[in-house]
Amino acid sequence: MAIDPKSLAPTYASSTPFPHLVFKKLWDESLLKKVAEECLAFTDWDEKKIFKSVSVNKRSCGIFGKLPPKTKMLLSYCNSSKFLEFLEEITGEKGLIPDPHLLGGGIHSSLNDGFLKMHADFNWHDRLKLYRRLNLLIYLNPDWDKSWGGELCLACKTDQGLHIEKTIEPLFNTTVLFTTTDQSFHGHPEPMSLPEGKFRNSLALYYYVSEKPVNSADIQRSYTDYRQLNGQRYL
């Protein structure tokens, strides 16, 4: 990985609406193509959300033993000491801890008409007794057309509600890293219009710390805080 992480730290810290970076072509193209093919053919899903108001037509699998081989290889590298040091240099976070249980992570796949409303992720891993601190999303979608929708939206909270400041297309070999706080609202809130056989696929990994982050997680919250664009919580 021929990237100097220290050189990226100032950009990460100053990005809005919350610290983040978008990497293009971070991963070896041939490896990621194989991962994408595995995820496209995958069928042994843990969870399918079809009728919920906050997440529709989304499938996921976070059981490591069920995942295909190249996908396991990439996830294992992302949880390795070498990659954790890379993340720590960029983000300034120290003592990052990966999640061997992939709670909420692993393969994510959204179907036609799928969406994920804006939300701030859970901040507390009750099984590990750790605070969630970083999200890493790796998109696996070759030949993605902007007209299909599905952009990742990053938003800040204002007196008028949530203000979307940045959108990121879920293009193949695009990787998004961001700091997770009680105010890091993100999602792809509008239903997608996907052709037959197309899905919005990604890998998701989360990283944790043992001490409570400053200005976040005053309440240990193991549920996701979904919000409407007017700032109101979904019931």
Side-chain angles (χ1 to χ4, degrees):
M1 189 175 294
I3 295 176
D4 176 15
K6 288 185 178 180
S7 69
L8 299 176
T11 301
Y12 182 89
S14 62
S15 294
T16 59
F18 41 81
H20 73 276
L21 269 179
V22 180
F23 300 90
K24 300 292 186 179
K25 299 184 178 180
L26 179 64
W27 307 105
D28 177 80
E29 294 275 319
S30 60
L31 170 62
L32 201 65
K33 182 179 179 182
K34 293 174 183 176
V35 172
E37 290 170 350
E38 286 182 343
C39 293
L40 185 62
F42 191 78
T43 59
D44 194 9
W45 303 103
D46 301 335
E47 179 182 40
K48 296 181 181 181
K49 296 179 180 177
I50 306 295
F51 299 114
K52 292 183 68 175
S53 61
V54 294
S55 180
V56 168
N57 284 2
K58 180 179 178 181
R59 313 173 292 189
S60 63
C61 180
I63 298 176
F64 189 80
K66 290 168 56 174
L67 300 177
K70 297 298 182 183
T71 302
K72 284 182 179 177
M73 181 186 301
L74 180 54
L75 293 176
S76 294
Y77 177 77
C78 289
N79 284 338
S80 70
S81 176
K82 181 178 180 180
F83 193 70
L84 292 176
E85 290 173 1
F86 175 77
L87 297 179
E88 288 177 345
E89 291 281 5
I90 292 173
T91 64
E93 299 292 338
K94 299 303 179 186
L96 289 176
I97 303 167
D99 176 16
H101 308 294
L102 295 176
L103 178 65
I107 305 174
H108 290 182
S109 178
S110 293
L111 291 68
N112 185 41
D113 292 326
F115 60 79
L116 179 63
K117 293 300 185 182
M118 302 299 290
H119 62 280
D121 290 309
F122 65 85
N123 61 37
W124 176 251
H125 194 310
D126 195 53
R127 185 173 182 181
L128 297 180
K129 308 304 180 188
L130 297 172
Y131 293 95
R132 183 165 169 176
R133 195 55 177 159
L134 296 179
N135 280 17
L136 186 77
L137 307 176
I138 304 171
Y139 290 106
L140 304 172
N141 308 300
D143 307 317
W144 189 265
D145 192 310
K146 187 177 178 65
S147 67
W148 299 342
E151 296 94 344
L152 175 67
C153 300
L154 308 183
C156 63
K157 191 168 179 249
T158 70
D159 291 340
Q160 288 73 43
L162 299 186
H163 173 65
I164 295 174
E165 287 196 16
K166 187 165 187 174
T167 60
I168 303 161
E169 289 186 77
L171 302 175
F172 178 77
N173 214 344
T174 296
T175 302
V176 183
L177 172 68
F178 63 89
T179 299
T180 308
T181 72
D182 292 340
Q183 302 299 319
S184 57
F185 289 99
H186 59 285
H188 58 103
E190 299 302 323
M192 295 181 293
S193 180
L194 301 180
E196 183 75 23
K198 286 289 186 181
F199 310 102
R200 184 188 187 274
N201 289 347
S202 61
L203 300 182
L205 296 106
Y206 312 129
Y207 302 92
Y208 296 81
V209 293
S210 59
E211 294 184 5
K212 189 184 88 64
V214 176
N215 298 324
S216 186
D218 289 333
I219 298 174
Q220 292 175 351
R221 180 170 47 80
S222 56
Y223 60 89
T224 302
D225 181 8
Y226 287 100
R227 298 291 183 112
Q228 302 175 54
L229 288 179
N230 64 10
Q232 295 298 310
R233 286 189 171 92
Y234 281 93
L235 300 177

